[in-house]
Amino acid sequence: MSDNKDSTAKQYNELGEKPVGRLLLSYAIPAIIAMAASSVYNIIDGIFVGQGVGPAAIMGLALCAPVMSLTAAFGAMVGVGGATLMSVRLGQKDYRAAQDILGNVVLMNILMGLALGVVLQLCLEPILRFFGASDYTIGPAYDFMTIILLGNVVTHLYFGLNALLRSTNRPKMAMYATFGTVGFNCVLAPLFIFVFDWGIRGAAAATICSQFLMLLWQLYLFSDKSNIVHLERRIMHLKWRIVRPALTIGLPQFLINLCACLVAIVITRSMTYFGSQTDLGGDVAVGAYGIQNRLILFIVMAVIGLNQGMQPIAGYNYGAQKYDRLLQVLRKSLIFATIFTTVGWAVCLLFATPLVSLFAKGSPELVAEAARGLRINICTFPLVGMQIIATAFFQSMGKAGKSIFLSLSRQLLFLLPLLIVLPHIFSNPVDGVWASLPISDAIAFCVAFAMLTQQVRKLRSNLS
């Protein structure tokens, strides 16, 4: 048993010893593939709903985005915060603390997932109405979110344990868990939607069932006592010395998702209101935003996968005070992220109409507006990768204040004011909503660049 644990400890130490380029690729590629697979399913799921249920369902899904961002905010705070804290503790070779972190992350996800699911379900219809649901879209949106909220605790645990798999030097296992979820989803969704005729509820049920099946596998992996970090009864107690720093470190990710929720609310309400003042119609405008958002999320998720590969390495080397390796990880991550967003920009710009046509069966107005919105939104996208990496980099070092500020800057400080002002400036107010997105990305890039440059200078001064 001790030989196995010594071997596991040696694997953790490799985070501070292996060549940075190969190490980053070994961690990032599984995470990127996993995120890409998850995003592909998100797109396929939208196609299943759009083709199998109809335009009302795809428009209703767009209204669910704020609620799902809210639930994801709480889950990410626990999962990302706990995983980052674990990476730092492993870098410090504090294996007992890392073991306790596992138990606390499991308990926090259970408590938070149950409480949030119950509260949101009780208030679901007025929440969806507030987000802009009409009589045409309220039914599909309510049906979908009811199933999702019933499985909220499963979703929280699944994502939380996947983050910890990466932090405990098992990025491939995290990738396999995501692959498993995507695979089960691709089988269950058409079965539930087309064969069982469950409609949009079938899409939601497929998502929860798939996550539950892979959660069982994750629990099996963390039950292996040959690993230093494993589940046991002793660690299943909440400890404030773990809960507080984990939630503090995870707070930037919470705020990112919370701001995403707030922004999604403002956008859906703005699209509903301003779209109704044009020939387009509010429901079509909301649906167009939802479709193009799914496509953009595919590119963003690739960069998030890169983040997930970077953070354990950055956190470990920061904890071990190996600042030269920390800077190498940052530089290579920035290069890869910019390549991803630039390629995504080119593809979406050239093939906007064919891409959005996959989601909108029998609705040419929806296709035209979604393609137009995608081209506008994507125009400054090559800049987005750097801002995402900068936020995660500060978070991996436990610098919550800077990470929180960057989390807020793009969405709260820049995007929300633009969403309020620009629709009243443009002759077509819906164009003002679309234009707010790329302009806020450009401003946020400038802020992130300045802060990251200052931090790099400080780290370099520690090397001299």
Side-chain angles (χ1 to χ4, degrees):
M1 181 71 71
S2 61
D3 290 341
N4 287 336
K5 291 189 175 181
D6 289 342
S7 177
T8 305
K10 183 179 179 181
Q11 289 180 352
Y12 296 148
N13 294 340
E14 289 176 350
L15 291 170
E17 297 169 0
K18 276 189 174 181
V20 171
R22 282 189 294 167
L23 192 62
L24 179 61
L25 289 175
S26 68
Y27 267 71
I29 288 176
I32 291 168
I33 293 174
M35 289 297 99
S38 181
S39 297
V40 166
Y41 173 72
N42 187 45
I43 291 173
I44 293 173
D45 192 38
I47 295 172
F48 286 151
V49 171
Q51 299 290 327
V53 188
I58 202 71
M59 295 173 191
L61 278 182
L63 294 164
C64 297
V67 187
M68 298 182 74
S69 293
L70 181 61
T71 60
F74 286 93
M77 179 167 59
V78 175
V80 174
T84 303
L85 186 63
M86 182 173 286
S87 295
V88 174
R89 294 293 176 265
L90 290 173
Q92 296 168 342
K93 298 181 173 57
D94 189 350
Y95 301 129
R96 184 177 179 85
Q99 178 85 335
D100 289 337
I101 290 167
L102 171 62
N104 278 251
V105 167
V106 169
L107 287 174
M108 284 190 288
N109 272 316
I110 292 173
L111 294 173
M112 201 170 287
L114 286 172
L116 195 61
V118 171
V119 170
L120 289 176
Q121 182 60 53
L122 292 174
C123 310
L124 185 56
E125 184 169 353
I127 288 174
L128 291 173
R129 289 287 187 184
F130 177 73
F131 292 166
S134 66
D135 291 340
Y136 181 60
T137 57
I138 186 65
Y142 186 89
D143 288 347
F144 182 83
M145 281 312 306
T146 294
I147 302 298
I148 293 295
L149 291 175
L150 284 174
N152 195 50
V153 67
V154 172
T155 302
H156 278 218
L157 279 171
Y158 164 75
F159 283 111
L161 290 181
N162 233 30
L164 292 184
L165 280 174
R166 286 185 291 271
S167 290
T168 54
N169 201 32
R170 288 178 282 184
K172 288 186 179 180
M173 296 297 103
M175 179 183 70
Y176 296 152
T178 304
F179 277 171
T181 305
V182 172
F184 281 122
N185 253 317
C186 288
V187 173
L188 294 177
L191 180 67
F192 291 168
I193 294 172
F194 297 105
V195 179
F196 293 172
D197 198 25
W198 290 355
I200 199 168
R201 290 191 179 196
T207 298
I208 298 302
C209 289
S210 302
Q211 290 175 349
F212 177 72
L213 290 171
M214 296 316 299
L215 173 61
L216 295 178
W217 184 65
Q218 291 170 327
L219 291 172
Y220 168 76
L221 291 176
F222 276 109
S223 299
D224 184 358
K225 293 185 179 180
S226 66
N227 286 301
I228 289 176
V229 180
H230 62 272
L231 289 167
E232 60 181 8
R233 186 174 300 177
R234 177 190 64 80
I235 65 174
M236 302 305 288
H237 300 283
L238 290 177
K239 297 181 179 180
W240 183 243
R241 64 180 176 83
I242 294 174
V243 172
R244 187 183 66 82
L247 295 182
T248 300
I249 293 172
L251 187 60
Q253 196 66 39
F254 171 79
L255 291 173
I256 289 174
N257 289 85
L258 189 63
C259 286
C261 174
L262 180 59
V263 167
I265 293 170
V266 175
I267 291 177
T268 54
R269 286 180 62 86
S270 297
M271 287 295 191
T272 301
Y273 176 74
F274 293 117
S276 64
Q277 297 180 4
T278 68
D279 295 335
L280 188 65
D283 291 334
V284 172
V286 170
Y289 170 72
I291 289 173
Q292 64 87 39
N293 197 48
R294 282 175 179 264
L295 293 168
I296 284 180
L297 186 61
F298 176 78
I299 309 167
V300 171
M301 290 295 274
V303 182
I304 291 174
L306 179 62
N307 273 352
Q308 291 175 349
M310 175 197 73
Q311 283 184 300
I313 306 169
Y316 185 99
N317 284 282
Y318 181 74
Q321 298 184 356
K322 296 184 177 183
Y323 300 125
D324 56 333
R325 292 176 60 82
L326 184 63
L327 289 171
Q328 290 181 56
V329 171
L330 173 63
R331 181 174 62 84
K332 293 180 184 298
S333 298
L334 288 172
I335 292 171
F336 288 136
T338 303
I339 292 172
F340 292 158
T341 53
T342 302
V343 171
W345 164 79
V347 171
C348 289
L349 199 64
L350 293 173
F351 304 105
T353 299
L355 289 171
V356 302
S357 297
L358 297 171
F359 300 88
K361 181 180 180 181
S363 181
E365 298 87 358
L366 184 57
V367 170
E369 185 61 22
R372 193 171 69 91
L374 178 61
R375 290 192 181 98
I376 296 172
N377 193 1
I378 209 78
C379 65
T380 58
F381 215 65
L383 306 177
V384 169
M386 197 278 292
Q387 195 217 3
I388 298 174
I389 291 293
T391 302
F393 182 71
F394 284 119
Q395 188 178 33
S396 68
M397 296 187 294
K399 296 185 179 296
K402 292 182 177 181
S403 188
I404 288 170
F405 177 76
L406 285 178
S407 304
L408 293 174
S409 63
R410 188 259 179 185
Q411 300 185 89
L412 189 61
L413 300 182
F414 308 136
L415 181 54
L416 281 181
L418 289 170
L419 286 169
I420 294 170
V421 173
L422 291 188
H424 299 284
I425 296 176
F426 281 69
S427 57
N428 181 347
V430 173
D431 286 347
V433 179
W434 289 125
S436 302
L437 300 166
I439 293 173
S440 63
D441 285 335
I443 300 172
F445 165 82
C446 295
V447 174
F449 180 81
M451 292 180 62
L452 197 58
T453 300
Q454 184 182 39
Q455 184 62 49
V456 167
R457 287 173 181 165
K458 289 182 179 180
L459 290 172
R460 283 176 176 167
S461 67
N462 292 328
L463 296 175
S464 57

